[in-house]
Amino acid sequence: TDPARLRRRFLQVSSRQLALSLVAAAAINLTAFWVYPLVFGSEWAAAVEYVAPLSLALASQTVLLSVSPTLHVLQKQGLAASWQPVPVVLLCAVFWGCAHNGLPAVDAFWGYGLIQLLTTVVMFTMMLVSLHNAERQFNAERTSQPVPSARDGAGAIIASAS
């Protein structure tokens, strides 16, 4: 595969998914105050304060899921696997810290949303750096191969062009 093309597709897919996710999160947040009680009943009105942090987490995860195979395509499964426990550990620490300090549940959900956003940005950055490195390596390998000359014969020139 051509890493430059893969990088362009990665940026195209992720930017479009980000736009869709932000529109969906904004729509959910703007309508939650009247939709939740209407759809779920008045006892769900208190749940509206949890919508914003959860939609932050959902939007960031939606973008990440759309490009998550990138590290596998680049054969960076070890990097992907080593990162997997980090969000879980951070989320456990946030929830434990909120519970230990007697903070309200909504603070724990804000911690959840922010951790999801942060870990998404880190994973996204790892993907971009991996794509950049793959592109540099691909270009270096292409330019380090000897270019056939007329002395090598027409067959060598034709073979290198295909």
Side-chain angles (χ1 to χ4, degrees), residues 41-80:
S42 60
E43 63 273 3
W44 278 83
V48 171
E49 67 181 322
Y50 296 92
V51 171
L54 290 175
S55 65
L56 176 65
L58 178 65
S60 60
Q61 285 298 302
T62 302
V63 173
L64 186 62
L65 287 173
S66 68
V67 292
S68 62
T70 302
L71 291 175
H72 298 287
V73 169
L74 295 172
Q75 298 180 1
K76 299 285 185 186
Q77 294 90 339
L79 180 61

Side-chain angles (χ1 to χ4, degrees), residues 49-50 53 103-111:
E49 67 181 322
Y50 296 92
L103 297 174
V106 72
D107 289 354
F109 277 83
W110 273 110

Side-chain angles (χ1 to χ4, degrees), residues 72-134:
H72 298 287
V73 169
L74 295 172
Q75 298 180 1
K76 299 285 185 186
Q77 294 90 339
L79 180 61
S82 66
W83 179 252
Q84 293 295 328
V86 173
V88 175
V89 169
L90 291 174
L91 290 171
C92 289
V94 164
F95 284 126
W96 179 85
C98 287
H100 182 72
N101 292 306
L103 297 174
V106 72
D107 289 354
F109 277 83
W110 273 110
Y112 169 76
L114 292 172
I115 291 295
Q116 290 291 12
L117 177 62
L118 172 70
T119 57
T120 297
V121 168
V122 170
M123 180 62 98
F124 193 85
T125 303
M126 288 191 300
M127 290 178 192
L128 278 176
V129 168
S130 295
L131 283 165
H132 177 73
N133 290 342

